[in-house]
Amino acid sequence: MRMITAAAAAFLAMPLVALPGAAETISGPPMGWSSRALGCSVSESAVRQAADALAPLAPLGYRYVVIDGCWQAPQ
């Protein structure tokens, strides 16, 4: 069994302190919407509608709108 050194024990006993600007960091996975849900029929109005729908969810961590240009399409 490994022994915990005094330095490691002191580090583990430290209380969690918020760093300056920590409120601006995102805790968790990146969340948002991707145009892949539309397949290759991406339009400006669909992307704007999705972005407008995500706006109220921003406080919950939804911040990204990813637009896939369908670059791997066979055509």
Side-chain angles (χ1 to χ4, degrees):
M1 180 178 263
R2 288 188 172 171
M3 302 277 294
I4 296 178
T5 64
F11 178 74
L12 292 173
M14 287 176 37
L16 295 176
V17 178
L19 298 174
E24 299 168 6
T25 61
I26 297 174
S27 173
M31 297 188 296
W33 175 84
S34 174
S35 67
R36 285 184 163 196
L38 302 174
C40 288
S41 59
V42 179
S43 66
E44 179 183 356
S45 63
V47 173
R48 285 185 184 271
Q49 184 178 7
D52 291 340
L54 281 179
L57 299 175
L60 300 175
Y62 289 85
R63 289 176 170 71
Y64 300 99
V65 175
V66 178
I67 303 169
D68 182 7
C70 209
W71 60 274
Q72 280 188 318
Q75 357 9 356

